[in-house]
Amino acid sequence: AGSSITGAGFTGLDRTLRNTGTMIYSAVDSSVLNFGASGVTPGVLTNEGTFNVTAGGDFSEFFVVPGHAINNAGTWNVSGAGTTSSVNGGVVFNNTGTVAVQSGTLALGGGGVSTGSYAPAAGAVLDFTGGTHDLNAGGAVSGAGVVRFSGGTSNVNGGSYAVGGTTSVTGGIVNFNTAASTGALRVTSGTLSG
């Protein structure tokens, strides 16, 4: 059995939502899942199954309440050519599972810690847009698509970074503290070290 989050506009999350099956978040118009809509309780989305984000759809902080998070321990799929799914500032994205950007763009703006894997397919984009991202030992970044660092601070501390596509640095700070390989490297702004 599966579940879905659909509809245009505002949907609030003021508790922990735990997915152990298959869930679909299908964006319509400008769909936003707002964390902390009551202003009292943090929103936490824990995925231990399969979470499919189709046709865009954003995850945003509504009220500033410490603890807003997406904790992915399962499979997080993003699809929708020409669309962007944004996890905005104030919502951290922690990944111990698998993130597959099959098409479109996944933009991560709230930081997070990862020991899981990320893989953008050819034509898709994984974009670290803000916050502090720690990609730690045990994790892997790969794929034939684009891995973009456009804001915040990203620390590649361990694990495997072997991107067959393009690594693009357009802003922020990227620290490669471990060996890395990429099909192409483009640096137009920001700071790259390592």
PDB file of all heavy atoms in Angstrom, residues 86-115:
ATOM      1  N   SER A  86      12.885  21.733  -4.109  1.00  0.00           N
ATOM      2  CA  SER A  86      13.811  22.416  -3.204  1.00  0.00           C
ATOM      3  C   SER A  86      13.525  22.055  -1.754  1.00  0.00           C
ATOM      4  O   SER A  86      12.378  22.109  -1.315  1.00  0.00           O
ATOM      5  CB  SER A  86      13.691  23.940  -3.358  1.00  0.00           C
ATOM      6  OG  SER A  86      14.068  24.341  -4.652  1.00  0.00           O
ATOM      7  N   VAL A  87      14.582  21.683  -1.028  1.00  0.00           N
ATOM      8  CA  VAL A  87      14.524  21.577   0.421  1.00  0.00           C
ATOM      9  C   VAL A  87      15.181  22.859   0.913  1.00  0.00           C
ATOM     10  O   VAL A  87      16.404  23.012   0.835  1.00  0.00           O
ATOM     11  CB  VAL A  87      15.251  20.322   0.938  1.00  0.00           C
ATOM     12  CG1 VAL A  87      15.178  20.263   2.454  1.00  0.00           C
ATOM     13  CG2 VAL A  87      14.666  19.063   0.314  1.00  0.00           C
ATOM     14  N   ASN A  88      14.362  23.794   1.360  1.00  0.00           N
ATOM     15  CA  ASN A  88      14.831  25.147   1.618  1.00  0.00           C
ATOM     16  C   ASN A  88      15.481  25.292   2.996  1.00  0.00           C
ATOM     17  O   ASN A  88      15.401  24.404   3.837  1.00  0.00           O
ATOM     18  CB  ASN A  88      13.662  26.117   1.453  1.00  0.00           C
ATOM     19  CG  ASN A  88      13.169  26.153   0.016  1.00  0.00           C
ATOM     20  OD1 ASN A  88      13.955  26.266  -0.915  1.00  0.00           O
ATOM     21  ND2 ASN A  88      11.862  26.041  -0.168  1.00  0.00           N
ATOM     22  N   GLY A  89      16.130  26.450   3.212  1.00  0.00           N
ATOM     23  CA  GLY A  89      16.784  26.749   4.474  1.00  0.00           C
ATOM     24  C   GLY A  89      15.845  26.556   5.649  1.00  0.00           C
ATOM     25  O   GLY A  89      14.656  26.849   5.559  1.00  0.00           O
ATOM     26  N   GLY A  90      16.381  26.034   6.732  1.00  0.00           N
ATOM     27  CA  GLY A  90      15.574  25.761   7.916  1.00  0.00           C
ATOM     28  C   GLY A  90      15.101  24.328   7.998  1.00  0.00           C
ATOM     29  O   GLY A  90      14.595  23.895   9.030  1.00  0.00           O
ATOM     30  N   VAL A  91      15.257  23.580   6.903  1.00  0.00           N
ATOM     31  CA  VAL A  91      14.911  22.148   6.890  1.00  0.00           C
ATOM     32  C   VAL A  91      16.172  21.392   6.472  1.00  0.00           C
ATOM     33  O   VAL A  91      16.612  21.485   5.330  1.00  0.00           O
ATOM     34  CB  VAL A  91      13.761  21.828   5.911  1.00  0.00           C
ATOM     35  CG1 VAL A  91      13.449  20.333   5.927  1.00  0.00           C
ATOM     36  CG2 VAL A  91      12.513  22.642   6.240  1.00  0.00           C
ATOM     37  N   VAL A  92      16.778  20.663   7.410  1.00  0.00           N
ATOM     38  CA  VAL A  92      17.985  19.903   7.071  1.00  0.00           C
ATOM     39  C   VAL A  92      17.591  18.613   6.357  1.00  0.00           C
ATOM     40  O   VAL A  92      16.500  18.083   6.557  1.00  0.00           O
ATOM     41  CB  VAL A  92      18.863  19.590   8.303  1.00  0.00           C
ATOM     42  CG1 VAL A  92      19.318  20.860   8.990  1.00  0.00           C
ATOM     43  CG2 VAL A  92      18.150  18.687   9.280  1.00  0.00           C
ATOM     44  N   PHE A  93      18.476  18.142   5.505  1.00  0.00           N
ATOM     45  CA  PHE A  93      18.273  16.888   4.784  1.00  0.00           C
ATOM     46  C   PHE A  93      19.408  15.953   5.175  1.00  0.00           C
ATOM     47  O   PHE A  93      20.549  16.115   4.739  1.00  0.00           O
ATOM     48  CB  PHE A  93      18.270  17.115   3.268  1.00  0.00           C
ATOM     49  CG  PHE A  93      17.830  15.919   2.464  1.00  0.00           C
ATOM     50  CD1 PHE A  93      16.505  15.780   2.089  1.00  0.00           C
ATOM     51  CD2 PHE A  93      18.734  14.935   2.092  1.00  0.00           C
ATOM     52  CE1 PHE A  93      16.080  14.676   1.350  1.00  0.00           C
ATOM     53  CE2 PHE A  93      18.334  13.833   1.357  1.00  0.00           C
ATOM     54  CZ  PHE A  93      16.998  13.708   0.985  1.00  0.00           C
ATOM     55  N   ASN A  94      19.091  14.980   6.047  1.00  0.00           N
ATOM     56  CA  ASN A  94      20.069  13.984   6.484  1.00  0.00           C
ATOM     57  C   ASN A  94      19.833  12.719   5.688  1.00  0.00           C
ATOM     58  O   ASN A  94      18.704  12.226   5.596  1.00  0.00           O
ATOM     59  CB  ASN A  94      19.905  13.702   7.981  1.00  0.00           C
ATOM     60  CG  ASN A  94      20.135  14.938   8.827  1.00  0.00           C
ATOM     61  OD1 ASN A  94      21.120  15.644   8.651  1.00  0.00           O
ATOM     62  ND2 ASN A  94      19.220  15.215   9.743  1.00  0.00           N
ATOM     63  N   ASN A  95      20.900  12.152   5.133  1.00  0.00           N
ATOM     64  CA  ASN A  95      20.752  11.007   4.245  1.00  0.00           C
ATOM     65  C   ASN A  95      21.655   9.851   4.667  1.00  0.00           C
ATOM     66  O   ASN A  95      22.869   9.957   4.612  1.00  0.00           O
ATOM     67  CB  ASN A  95      21.083  11.419   2.806  1.00  0.00           C
ATOM     68  CG  ASN A  95      20.973  10.267   1.843  1.00  0.00           C
ATOM     69  OD1 ASN A  95      20.096   9.411   1.967  1.00  0.00           O
ATOM     70  ND2 ASN A  95      21.859  10.235   0.863  1.00  0.00           N
ATOM     71  N   THR A  96      21.036   8.753   5.093  1.00  0.00           N
ATOM     72  CA  THR A  96      21.774   7.511   5.333  1.00  0.00           C
ATOM     73  C   THR A  96      21.329   6.446   4.330  1.00  0.00           C
ATOM     74  O   THR A  96      21.763   5.310   4.418  1.00  0.00           O
ATOM     75  CB  THR A  96      21.540   6.991   6.771  1.00  0.00           C
ATOM     76  OG1 THR A  96      20.136   6.801   6.977  1.00  0.00           O
ATOM     77  CG2 THR A  96      22.075   7.974   7.802  1.00  0.00           C
ATOM     78  N   GLY A  97      20.468   6.836   3.413  1.00  0.00           N
ATOM     79  CA  GLY A  97      19.932   5.910   2.415  1.00  0.00           C
ATOM     80  C   GLY A  97      20.439   6.241   1.028  1.00  0.00           C
ATOM     81  O   GLY A  97      21.621   6.527   0.832  1.00  0.00           O
ATOM     82  N   THR A  98      19.512   6.235   0.051  1.00  0.00           N
ATOM     83  CA  THR A  98      19.839   6.453  -1.350  1.00  0.00           C
ATOM     84  C   THR A  98      19.010   7.605  -1.895  1.00  0.00           C
ATOM     85  O   THR A  98      17.790   7.619  -1.725  1.00  0.00           O
ATOM     86  CB  THR A  98      19.539   5.182  -2.171  1.00  0.00           C
ATOM     87  OG1 THR A  98      20.327   4.102  -1.662  1.00  0.00           O
ATOM     88  CG2 THR A  98      19.841   5.379  -3.644  1.00  0.00           C
ATOM     89  N   VAL A  99      19.665   8.554  -2.545  1.00  0.00           N
ATOM     90  CA  VAL A  99      18.969   9.646  -3.228  1.00  0.00           C
ATOM     91  C   VAL A  99      19.275   9.527  -4.716  1.00  0.00           C
ATOM     92  O   VAL A  99      20.436   9.577  -5.118  1.00  0.00           O
ATOM     93  CB  VAL A  99      19.414  11.030  -2.701  1.00  0.00           C
ATOM     94  CG1 VAL A  99      18.785  12.145  -3.528  1.00  0.00           C
ATOM     95  CG2 VAL A  99      19.058  11.181  -1.228  1.00  0.00           C
ATOM     96  N   ALA A 100      18.227   9.364  -5.517  1.00  0.00           N
ATOM     97  CA  ALA A 100      18.376   9.240  -6.967  1.00  0.00           C
ATOM     98  C   ALA A 100      17.619  10.383  -7.632  1.00  0.00           C
ATOM     99  O   ALA A 100      16.395  10.465  -7.528  1.00  0.00           O
ATOM    100  CB  ALA A 100      17.844   7.896  -7.442  1.00  0.00           C
ATOM    101  N   VAL A 101      18.356  11.278  -8.275  1.00  0.00           N
ATOM    102  CA  VAL A 101      17.731  12.351  -9.043  1.00  0.00           C
ATOM    103  C   VAL A 101      17.633  11.829 -10.472  1.00  0.00           C
ATOM    104  O   VAL A 101      18.613  11.836 -11.216  1.00  0.00           O
ATOM    105  CB  VAL A 101      18.533  13.663  -8.967  1.00  0.00           C
ATOM    106  CG1 VAL A 101      17.763  14.797  -9.633  1.00  0.00           C
ATOM    107  CG2 VAL A 101      18.858  14.020  -7.524  1.00  0.00           C
ATOM    108  N   GLN A 102      16.451  11.352 -10.827  1.00  0.00           N
ATOM    109  CA  GLN A 102      16.258  10.690 -12.113  1.00  0.00           C
ATOM    110  C   GLN A 102      16.096  11.682 -13.253  1.00  0.00           C
ATOM    111  O   GLN A 102      16.510  11.428 -14.381  1.00  0.00           O
ATOM    112  CB  GLN A 102      15.060   9.747 -12.020  1.00  0.00           C
ATOM    113  CG  GLN A 102      15.283   8.663 -10.979  1.00  0.00           C
ATOM    114  CD  GLN A 102      14.000   7.980 -10.538  1.00  0.00           C
ATOM    115  OE1 GLN A 102      12.899   8.468 -10.759  1.00  0.00           O
ATOM    116  NE2 GLN A 102      14.155   6.840  -9.890  1.00  0.00           N
ATOM    117  N   SER A 103      15.467  12.829 -12.957  1.00  0.00           N
ATOM    118  CA  SER A 103      15.335  13.930 -13.910  1.00  0.00           C
ATOM    119  C   SER A 103      14.984  15.177 -13.117  1.00  0.00           C
ATOM    120  O   SER A 103      14.581  15.094 -11.958  1.00  0.00           O
ATOM    121  CB  SER A 103      14.264  13.627 -14.967  1.00  0.00           C
ATOM    122  OG  SER A 103      13.012  13.372 -14.373  1.00  0.00           O
ATOM    123  N   GLY A 104      15.156  16.339 -13.733  1.00  0.00           N
ATOM    124  CA  GLY A 104      14.924  17.581 -13.022  1.00  0.00           C
ATOM    125  C   GLY A 104      16.061  17.899 -12.069  1.00  0.00           C
ATOM    126  O   GLY A 104      17.180  17.415 -12.222  1.00  0.00           O
ATOM    127  N   THR A 105      15.755  18.722 -11.046  1.00  0.00           N
ATOM    128  CA  THR A 105      16.762  19.201 -10.100  1.00  0.00           C
ATOM    129  C   THR A 105      16.289  18.988  -8.672  1.00  0.00           C
ATOM    130  O   THR A 105      15.138  19.260  -8.351  1.00  0.00           O
ATOM    131  CB  THR A 105      17.041  20.706 -10.315  1.00  0.00           C
ATOM    132  OG1 THR A 105      17.540  20.910 -11.646  1.00  0.00           O
ATOM    133  CG2 THR A 105      18.042  21.243  -9.307  1.00  0.00           C
ATOM    134  N   LEU A 106      17.189  18.509  -7.821  1.00  0.00           N
ATOM    135  CA  LEU A 106      16.981  18.480  -6.384  1.00  0.00           C
ATOM    136  C   LEU A 106      17.919  19.510  -5.786  1.00  0.00           C
ATOM    137  O   LEU A 106      19.142  19.399  -5.927  1.00  0.00           O
ATOM    138  CB  LEU A 106      17.261  17.102  -5.788  1.00  0.00           C
ATOM    139  CG  LEU A 106      17.245  17.017  -4.256  1.00  0.00           C
ATOM    140  CD1 LEU A 106      15.876  17.403  -3.694  1.00  0.00           C
ATOM    141  CD2 LEU A 106      17.661  15.627  -3.782  1.00  0.00           C
ATOM    142  N   ALA A 107      17.344  20.551  -5.138  1.00  0.00           N
ATOM    143  CA  ALA A 107      18.129  21.623  -4.530  1.00  0.00           C
ATOM    144  C   ALA A 107      18.057  21.493  -3.012  1.00  0.00           C
ATOM    145  O   ALA A 107      16.969  21.508  -2.439  1.00  0.00           O
ATOM    146  CB  ALA A 107      17.598  22.986  -4.972  1.00  0.00           C
ATOM    147  N   LEU A 108      19.211  21.341  -2.368  1.00  0.00           N
ATOM    148  CA  LEU A 108      19.288  21.150  -0.922  1.00  0.00           C
ATOM    149  C   LEU A 108      19.851  22.413  -0.279  1.00  0.00           C
ATOM    150  O   LEU A 108      21.043  22.704  -0.400  1.00  0.00           O
ATOM    151  CB  LEU A 108      20.161  19.935  -0.591  1.00  0.00           C
ATOM    152  CG  LEU A 108      19.670  18.600  -1.181  1.00  0.00           C
ATOM    153  CD1 LEU A 108      20.669  17.485  -0.891  1.00  0.00           C
ATOM    154  CD2 LEU A 108      18.296  18.253  -0.640  1.00  0.00           C
ATOM    155  N   GLY A 109      18.979  23.180   0.412  1.00  0.00           N
ATOM    156  CA  GLY A 109      19.375  24.472   0.936  1.00  0.00           C
ATOM    157  C   GLY A 109      19.462  24.581   2.444  1.00  0.00           C
ATOM    158  O   GLY A 109      19.791  25.635   2.967  1.00  0.00           O
ATOM    159  N   GLY A 110      19.166  23.488   3.163  1.00  0.00           N
ATOM    160  CA  GLY A 110      19.145  23.568   4.618  1.00  0.00           C
ATOM    161  C   GLY A 110      20.283  22.857   5.310  1.00  0.00           C
ATOM    162  O   GLY A 110      20.304  22.765   6.533  1.00  0.00           O
ATOM    163  N   GLY A 111      21.237  22.333   4.555  1.00  0.00           N
ATOM    164  CA  GLY A 111      22.335  21.582   5.145  1.00  0.00           C
ATOM    165  C   GLY A 111      21.918  20.175   5.517  1.00  0.00           C
ATOM    166  O   GLY A 111      20.805  19.732   5.224  1.00  0.00           O
ATOM    167  N   GLY A 112      22.833  19.452   6.158  1.00  0.00           N
ATOM    168  CA  GLY A 112      22.557  18.090   6.582  1.00  0.00           C
ATOM    169  C   GLY A 112      23.817  17.256   6.622  1.00  0.00           C
ATOM    170  O   GLY A 112      24.893  17.681   6.199  1.00  0.00           O
ATOM    171  N   VAL A 113      23.659  16.054   7.152  1.00  0.00           N
ATOM    172  CA  VAL A 113      24.765  15.105   7.286  1.00  0.00           C
ATOM    173  C   VAL A 113      24.424  13.867   6.468  1.00  0.00           C
ATOM    174  O   VAL A 113      23.295  13.375   6.509  1.00  0.00           O
ATOM    175  CB  VAL A 113      24.992  14.726   8.763  1.00  0.00           C
ATOM    176  CG1 VAL A 113      26.075  13.675   8.898  1.00  0.00           C
ATOM    177  CG2 VAL A 113      25.333  15.964   9.579  1.00  0.00           C
ATOM    178  N   SER A 114      25.412  13.362   5.733  1.00  0.00           N
ATOM    179  CA  SER A 114      25.159  12.209   4.880  1.00  0.00           C
ATOM    180  C   SER A 114      26.228  11.142   5.017  1.00  0.00           C
ATOM    181  O   SER A 114      27.421  11.435   4.967  1.00  0.00           O
ATOM    182  CB  SER A 114      25.084  12.631   3.411  1.00  0.00           C
ATOM    183  OG  SER A 114      24.884  11.495   2.591  1.00  0.00           O
ATOM    184  N   THR A 115      25.775   9.902   5.183  1.00  0.00           N
ATOM    185  CA  THR A 115      26.616   8.719   5.018  1.00  0.00           C
ATOM    186  C   THR A 115      25.974   7.815   3.978  1.00  0.00           C
ATOM    187  O   THR A 115      26.342   6.658   3.838  1.00  0.00           O
ATOM    188  CB  THR A 115      26.798   7.957   6.345  1.00  0.00           C
ATOM    189  OG1 THR A 115      25.500   7.618   6.856  1.00  0.00           O
ATOM    190  CG2 THR A 115      27.558   8.781   7.367  1.00  0.00           C
TER     191      THR A 115
END
